């Protein structure tokens, strides 16, 4: 299955880019009916917190952070000596990731990427399971990026929902609203994601809640059953030996 998704308009919109540069909101996703979802800009632009670090403890092999935003997870993994690359369509996000000590590419996840088929773990954090508005297509793409038996860790919505919508990023600072152009997004809770993943041939390795955030770990069904629990590793011996500037998962 080939999927082409144009970079969402918010990636270059003033509200999103300005928020990442300043590290501050308020910023929202707005549906056509006016409903607003707050975006946690301050948390994204801070360092990795305890919940983030516990997720990263579960990562295996080389890690690809899809929709890395301002790069807190990439920077944390790099500081641990792990092989890690962030991917984001936002120039401001990539710039900030590099500034905080990570490596990142400005690219859509549906474009050709380094190390396809060789990543040990792919991250879809902060609701990025919604990229492109089609979780089924996104899961298919994740399977292309991961090595056989590789691990996908996705952060899900806190409710049992499966919502597809056209949304805009909106800045409501200073008493006036600025909005980027509309793009497709999805919000999906753990039960709905597991149903989709099961039909697509993924095995549920783990599901958990921490700090009011919800997560799922998935593997291709039948692969690496000995480590199927996707729990925190007993050893973090996977260390990057790459020279600065190398980005493949080799």
């Amino acid at each position: 299955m080939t999927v082409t998704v144009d970079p969402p308009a918010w990636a270059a919109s003033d509200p999103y880019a300005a928020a990442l540069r300043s590290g501050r909101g308020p910023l929202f996703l707005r549906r056509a009916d006016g409903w607003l979802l707050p975006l946690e800009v301050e948390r994204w632009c801070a360092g990795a917190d305890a919940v983030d670090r516990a997720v990263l403890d579960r990562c295996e092999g080389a890690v690809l952070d899809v929709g890395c935003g301002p790069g807190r997870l990439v920077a944390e993994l790099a500081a641990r000596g792990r092989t890690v690359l962030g991917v984001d369509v936002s120039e401001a996000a990539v710039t900030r990731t590099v500034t905080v000590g990570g490596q990142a590419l400005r690219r859509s996840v549906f474009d050709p990427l380094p190390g396809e088929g060789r990543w040990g773990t792919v991250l879809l954090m902060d609701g990025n399971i919604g990229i492109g508005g089609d979780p089924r297509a996104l899961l298919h793409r994740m399977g292309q990026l991961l090595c056989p038996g590789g691990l996908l860790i996705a952060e899900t919505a806190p409710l049992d929902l499966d919502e597809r919508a056209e949304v805009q990023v909106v800045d409501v600072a200073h008493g006036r609203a600025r909005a980027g152009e509309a793009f497709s997004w999805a919000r999906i809770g753990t039960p709905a994601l597991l149903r989709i993943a099961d039909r697509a041939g993924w095995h549920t390795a783990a599901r958990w809640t921490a700090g009011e955030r919800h997560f799922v770990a998935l593997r291709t069904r039948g692969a690496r059953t000995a480590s199927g629990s996707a729990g925190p590793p007993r050893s973090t011996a996977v260390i990057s030996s790459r020279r600065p500037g190398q980005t493949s998962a080799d």
Side-chain angles (χ1 to χ4, degrees), residues 104-129:
L105 292 177
R106 185 185 181 190
R107 199 169 298 178
S108 166
V109 66
F110 294 104
D111 290 338
L113 293 172
E116 293 203 13
R118 299 195 297 277
W119 294 99
T121 304
V122 175
L123 298 174
L124 287 170
M125 297 283 279
D126 304 323
N128 283 330
I129 188 65

Side-chain angles (χ1 to χ4, degrees), residues 68-69 74 84-88 93-95 97-98 102-106 247:
C68 66
V74 178
V84 57
L85 176 68
V87 175
D88 205 293
V94 169
T95 298
T97 299
V98 172
Q103 294 191 66
L105 292 177
R106 185 185 181 190
T247 56

Side-chain angles (χ1 to χ4, degrees), residues 38-226:
L39 300 180
E40 299 181 77
V41 176
E42 289 82 1
R43 181 173 67 82
W44 298 346
C45 290
D49 61 21
V51 175
D52 294 329
R53 292 192 295 271
V55 170
L56 300 185
D57 288 343
R58 297 172 182 259
C59 291
E60 303 168 357
V63 182
L64 181 68
D65 185 3
V66 174
C68 66
R72 74 187 192 282
L73 305 178
V74 178
E76 172 67 21
L77 285 168
R80 297 182 183 192
R82 300 293 296 270
T83 300
V84 57
L85 176 68
V87 175
D88 205 293
V89 294
S90 164
E91 182 177 2
V94 169
T95 298
R96 185 155 183 145
T97 299
V98 172
T99 299
V100 298
Q103 294 191 66
L105 292 177
R106 185 185 181 190
R107 199 169 298 178
S108 166
V109 66
F110 294 104
D111 290 338
L113 293 172
E116 293 203 13
R118 299 195 297 277
W119 294 99
T121 304
V122 175
L123 298 174
L124 287 170
M125 297 283 279
D126 304 323
N128 283 330
I129 188 65
I131 288 173
D134 187 346
R136 186 183 303 275
L138 189 59
L139 284 179
H140 177 79
R141 179 59 175 148
M142 297 301 98
Q144 295 175 328
L145 295 171
L146 285 164
C147 66
L151 185 68
L152 169 63
I153 300 178
E155 184 170 354
T156 60
L159 303 173
D160 184 9
L161 55 81
D162 187 357
E163 174 185 282
R164 322 297 168 89
E166 293 292 305
V167 297
Q168 297 170 288
V169 171
V170 179
D171 173 6
V172 295
H174 311 300
R176 64 179 187 276
R178 296 183 301 164
E181 296 180 24
F183 60 96
S184 298
W185 195 254
R187 295 179 67 227
I188 186 166
T190 294
L193 177 58
L194 294 182
R195 289 192 294 269
I196 293 172
D198 182 68
R199 290 193 293 267
W202 292 81
H203 167 71
T204 302
R207 55 185 292 183
W208 70 98
T209 300
E212 300 184 351
R213 295 165 62 190
H214 299 256
F215 303 92
V216 170
L218 301 171
R219 295 189 194 277
T220 303
R221 182 171 290 132
R224 294 177 65 169
T225 54

